[in-house]
Amino acid sequence: MAISKSVNNNKKHHHQCYISMSSEIINSLSANSLQSLLLSPKKQTKNVTSSRSSKYLKNPKTWFLVLFLFGFVFMMKMWYNFDPFAPNHPCVTVFTPQNETLALIPHGVSKTLLNVQENVLKNVAKNDDDEEMNGFWKQPDGLGYRPCLEFSNEYKKTSLAMLKDRTKYLVVVVSGGMNQQRNQIVDAVVIARILGAALVVPILQVNVIWGDESEFSDIFDVEHFKEALSDDVRIISSLPSNHLMSRPVEEKHTPLHVSPNWIRARYLRRMRREGVLLLRGLDSRLSKDLPSDLQKLRCKVAFHALRFAPPIRELGEKLTERMRSKGPYLALHLRMEKDVWVRTGCLPGLSPEYDEIIHNERKSRPELLTSRSNMTYHDRKLAGLCPLTALEVTRLLKALEVPKNGRIFWAGGNPLGGLEALSPLVTEFPNFYNKEDLALPGELEPFSKKASIMAAIDYIVSENSNVFMASHGGNMNHAIQGHRAYAGHKKTITPNKRQMISHFLNNSLQEKEFNKIILDLHRDSMGQPEVRTSKSGRDVTKFPIPECMRNDTSY
């Protein structure tokens, strides 16, 4: 995990120390006195120190001061929950390698666990201190923000009764790709908390596009999921036997962005009567603006509980190390698949033949166009609604001063037009790899028919990168941007498509002038801390400040 921190290398230096004295003092000392000073410094110091200590211990004012300080600290602890010996008050966070997640440690933590944090941070600092970590690889200033999930006393008190409840059960069916499923699982946990219900491990609907039949346990670590949320929501693997034969109340038409009060009013009475509630299609059904404790719970699910299954983590870390072995690397999520061009209403610009393919597909299936069907392709392009082409990505990376020998990991599905569509990128940046390039023979074979697992591997290598950028927004970009912010605001470039596309289309601009304009447009889009509450409707798992991260000025 890359965290922007510069640490000086430890080097051994030999110093000579001198004591300065006036000539009068030197002259007043005899040769024997000087010799005794040189031969017995420790004994002399010990006697002086012992004398001073005895003097202070016998002084009543010293004891009064000690008693006053202890009394003051005790009162502060009782009244304000103040603990001067707790590191990073009020939250202590141990950073562990990605996909082992970030583990929150309560006050009174053992020194062993704090040593883990210290060692990991030293390793990260060592990596970031390499001479290569300059220029493009330099990390943004995180302004001291760190994870902080301090739930209210009312939340903790309510948890005790909720976890004992055995009368209400929530079953959810989540759909879409892996990252879309993650978003729905996060909301499923929060909805279970709102209803005070036990959550059955979410059911993953078979993906009709990729034919992926993966279950929750194939992608995520189930036991870790249960344990991480054991203080918040009761997670069970299956319904109790007395509910197996009952038909749950099913809800398919939850409106978008509903509030906790709406959920309670709509579902709580029915759930108490029937015992089981089945929800489908949770995508964007829950409001993004929730009470503080529920926002923190969202972060806890997304960044702590949803850990990938061990085989996925193991392979993802192997590929990460292969990318890291020769220096820092950029992870690039390319959105150039056929279905992306169809859904966005945009054209790939490869050739008239490919444009015709996309046009015919969209004409035969107009329901695939996601939004703003009244806009022309050119209008969409200027509005920043289209994915960047390989040529546009290449020009953007050059303007952002990516070294020509820089290592790039590209994530995503096969682009329309095959690898030939990527030729501008490969020509300019020859150290260009995807998971198939990095994997040894047979390593990816167990997952070759599992699109969600392949996406999870891309997620791991991308989240672990020194720099991350996506050519178009989407669920993966959303998730990784939030994860990297929560991990210390690792450099994440957000292409400013709305403002830069006109410059891409201006053929009169010289390359030097174009590069300067593009670089200036992105100086504030490098993953710097950004407050979620500056705009309503932002997802806390993409912008974790202020609910899930604090700095020293926040207290």
Side-chain angles (χ1 to χ4, degrees), residues 435-454:
K435 54 185 174 292
E436 283 80 9
D437 299 320
L438 297 172
L440 299 178
E443 280 186 318
L444 288 174
E445 189 174 345
F447 314 122
S448 60
K449 304 296 184 184
K450 305 284 187 180
S452 292
I453 294 178
M454 297 292 265

Side-chain angles (χ1 to χ4, degrees), residues 55 62 64 129 143 150 157 198 217 228 253 293 304 306 310 341 365 429 503-504 545 552:
K55 180 180 177 181
T62 302
F64 176 79
D129 200 39
L143 302 179
E150 188 78 1
K157 182 179 178 181
S217 59
H253 306 293
D293 284 325
H304 297 267
L306 280 175
W341 296 117
R365 301 184 64 187
F429 303 102
H503 300 294
F504 277 95
I545 298 174
D552 291 337

Side-chain angles (χ1 to χ4, degrees), residues 381-395:
K381 187 78 173 175
L382 289 177
L385 299 175
C386 292
L388 296 175
T389 66
L391 179 59
E392 290 166 343
V393 171
T394 304
R395 295 186 69 189

Side-chain angles (χ1 to χ4, degrees), residues 156 158-166 193 196 198 229-235:
K156 296 172 185 176
T158 307
S159 298
L160 298 175
M162 283 187 176
L163 296 172
K164 293 177 182 178
D165 190 290
R166 297 294 186 271
R193 172 77 193 195
L229 298 171
S230 60
D231 293 332
D232 309 275
V233 174
R234 192 164 72 94
I235 312 289

Side-chain angles (χ1 to χ4, degrees), residues 131-294:
E131 60 181 12
E132 291 176 303
M133 292 302 183
N134 295 314
F136 173 75
W137 306 111
K138 186 177 180 181
Q139 298 296 309
D141 185 354
L143 302 179
Y145 280 100
R146 60 184 177 274
C148 184
L149 302 183
E150 188 78 1
F151 293 94
S152 70
N153 290 331
E154 182 62 27
Y155 179 94
K156 296 172 185 176
K157 182 179 178 181
T158 307
S159 298
L160 298 175
M162 283 187 176
L163 296 172
K164 293 177 182 178
D165 190 290
R166 297 294 186 271
T167 63
K168 303 189 296 294
Y169 297 89
L170 176 63
V171 179
V172 297
V173 179
V174 299
S175 58
M178 187 275 294
N179 290 290
Q180 192 174 359
Q181 290 170 344
R182 282 176 62 99
N183 294 340
Q184 294 172 57
I185 293 167
V186 170
D187 282 357
V189 173
V190 176
I191 291 172
R193 172 77 193 195
I194 292 169
L195 295 171
L199 175 67
V200 180
V201 171
I203 300 166
L204 274 52
Q205 184 174 307
V206 176
N207 193 301
V208 294
I209 298 177
W210 298 289
D212 191 343
E213 298 180 357
S214 298
E215 298 180 358
F216 187 98
S217 59
D218 295 325
I219 303 173
F220 303 106
D221 188 330
V222 178
E223 294 308 313
H224 176 81
F225 183 68
K226 293 178 181 178
E227 178 62 27
L229 298 171
S230 60
D231 293 332
D232 309 275
V233 174
R234 192 164 72 94
I235 312 289
I236 58 176
S237 297
S238 60
L239 283 171
S241 57
N242 60 320
H243 286 288
L244 290 177
M245 300 303 294
S246 62
R247 185 175 181 178
V249 178
E250 184 173 357
E251 177 60 71
K252 299 180 182 179
H253 306 293
T254 305
L256 295 174
H257 310 305
V258 297
S259 68
N261 287 338
W262 188 96
I263 287 175
R264 293 188 190 98
R266 175 80 174 186
Y267 300 138
L268 201 51
R269 183 178 299 177
R270 295 161 61 185
M271 180 175 269
R272 285 170 176 163
R273 182 177 67 247
E274 304 293 338
V276 182
L277 173 66
L278 171 62
L279 292 181
R280 296 178 183 270
L282 290 182
D283 202 16
S284 297
R285 302 300 162 181
L286 185 60
S287 171
K288 299 295 185 282
D289 299 306
L290 299 174
S292 179
D293 284 325
L294 296 181

Side-chain angles (χ1 to χ4, degrees), residues 422-435:
L422 302 176
S423 59
L425 276 162
V426 179
T427 301
E428 187 64 34
F429 303 102
N431 294 320
F432 196 74
Y433 312 93
N434 66 357
K435 54 185 174 292

